[in-house]
Each structure stands twice: as C-alpha cells, then as structure tokens.
Amino acid sequence: MKTAWENTDFEVFEIDGLEHRMQGLIEKVRPKFESFGTHYATFFSSKTGDEFFPHVAKHARRSVNPPKDSWVAFAPYKRGYKALPHFQIGLWGSHVFVVLAVIYEVPNKVAIAEKLLKKKSIMKKLPADFIISGDHMSPNAIPLKAAYKEDLESLLVRLKDVKKAEFLVGRHLPREEAVKMSEEEFEAYADETFEALLPIYKLMTN
C-alpha cells in the first residue's frame, strides 16, 4: 500500500538551516503538493464554475529562518491567492491541515466577516472533528464543537474589526494518522473536507 504521507515528510521540519530544510521540502514534499495542485485545481473549478489555480509555497522571501510549515493553496486567480479566500492542503511537523483560509491580505475581510456572523449556523453543519483558527502562522487550533459558545463569534468579530486578523476553518489530521492512510484514503478525506467547506466558501465569495 502506498501511503499519501510518510514520516520523512514531517521530519523535513526538523532539518536545521534554511538551505537544508528547503532542499528537503523541494525533494520530499513539493512533488506531493504539485500532484495535489493539479488534482484539486480541477476539483474546485468543476465545483465552483470558476477556474482555480494551484499555488505551491516557495518560501522565496525567507533569508534566515527555515519554514515551519508548507502548503499548496487553491484560488481562482493565476497570479496569487493571498488576497482571496482560498483552500489549502499543508503540513506542520505535527499534522496535515486541510482548510479554507481568509488571511490578513484579503481586502474585503469586513464584508466576509459580516456574512459569516449573520449565518454562523452554517458552521453547525460541519463534521464534529473540524477546527477553527485565527492565525495561519500557528499550528494550534480550536475544535469547532468547543468554539460554538464564544470563540467562533469572537474570531469573526476580530476578523471584522482588526486589520491583521485571520480566519481558518477545516481539519487537522495528526501525523500518526496521516502516515497510515493510503493515497486513496487521504484523497477521500480531503474531498470530504473540501465538500463540507464549499458552502462556506460560496457564502464568503457571493
């Protein structure tokens, strides 16, 4: 059985030094991101009616600190993704993330936050193991089930009111589970996650 992820993919983030870690990412992880990129750009194009493009993280601005995570993002814009709500598949040393993200570069964050605040109930339709986060630079997240009481509202209010605020929703798959999944099993997991997130994406973008 060929697994989607191996322990060596996660161990890339233990390599010291920018140059050596980047070499590990390029050799080990980037081919997987490129493969997901081709597949899911087609998936999102067919689901939304907009042409989606994959964007594999290049970490090009880094000059000293090696990246602590890496990803492929999907957005309906060829030249970039950061200014739009976008989907991602990525890795930290501890887990895989499959998410929908609105990061601080998105210019119409206020309108997006207002839509989500008005229709918070849309989040209740998500599976029980989903998470939310207010920071794409942190591996930590809040289980969505626990967030309904107050964290969800406060993260969305923050998204509306604070220029640097962000909002991510999706799933975290622990490393020890990811390395046991076949390619087909992981693809089914990602498909299911993105299918559940599409109504939220459509609410954000319509």
Side-chain angles (χ1 to χ4, degrees):
M1 182 187 82
K2 192 162 185 339
T3 56
W5 303 103
E6 299 160 82
N7 277 307
T8 48
D9 297 323
F10 298 92
E11 286 161 6
V12 161
F13 298 105
E14 297 164 23
I15 299 170
D16 288 333
L18 175 63
E19 198 177 321
H20 294 303
R21 192 173 302 180
M22 282 306 304
Q23 190 179 344
L25 273 174
I26 289 163
E27 288 171 8
K28 279 292 305 171
V29 180
R30 197 172 284 176
K32 294 183 181 184
F33 286 156
E34 282 165 356
S35 170
F36 290 135
T38 308
H39 175 77
Y40 283 104
T42 307
F43 173 92
F44 289 119
S45 298
S46 70
K47 295 283 179 187
T48 65
D50 293 320
E51 188 178 2
F52 268 67
F53 301 89
H55 301 272
V56 177
K58 299 287 194 288
H59 308 289
R61 291 183 193 162
R62 291 182 175 271
S63 55
V64 181
N65 297 322
K68 293 177 182 173
D69 66 330
S70 198
W71 60 88
V72 54
F74 310 94
Y77 185 51
K78 197 171 188 175
R79 293 180 62 187
Y81 63 92
K82 291 182 179 181
L84 299 165
H86 57 272
F87 297 94
Q88 289 186 341
I89 295 173
L91 286 189
W92 288 87
S94 52
H95 62 270
V96 180
F97 55 91
V98 183
V99 298
L100 168 60
V102 177
I103 62 172
Y104 65 89
E105 284 100 330
V106 175
N108 62 330
K109 275 192 325 155
V110 173
I112 290 169
E114 284 170 348
K115 286 177 191 175
L116 292 172
L117 280 162
K118 267 186 203 152
K119 293 213 171 162
K120 282 204 310 289
S121 58
I122 197 170
M123 300 280 182
K124 295 210 164 165
K125 294 175 182 161
L126 294 173
D129 62 340
F130 272 50
I131 54 86
I132 58 170
S133 165
D135 182 2
H136 83 280
M137 310 276 283
S138 167
N140 301 323
I142 305 159
L144 186 55
K145 257 176 116 173
Y148 288 133
K149 291 190 183 82
E150 53 189 60
D151 291 317
L152 176 59
E153 171 116 11
S154 62
L155 274 183
L156 293 173
V157 169
R158 191 168 186 277
L159 185 70
K160 181 168 73 78
D161 295 342
V162 178
K163 198 175 178 188
K164 287 280 184 187
E166 302 184 327
F167 183 73
L168 291 82
V169 56
R171 265 177 168 156
H172 284 181
L173 178 66
R175 168 182 175 165
E176 49 277 10
E177 290 177 37
V179 297
K180 291 178 190 165
M181 279 188 178
S182 68
E183 289 180 339
E184 292 75 18
E185 285 168 336
F186 179 74
E187 196 173 295
Y189 175 91
D191 285 0
E192 182 188 58
T193 307
F194 288 141
E195 288 277 8
L197 291 171
L198 276 164
I200 298 170
Y201 174 79
K202 286 173 179 169
L203 175 63
M204 287 176 173
T205 54
N206 287 345

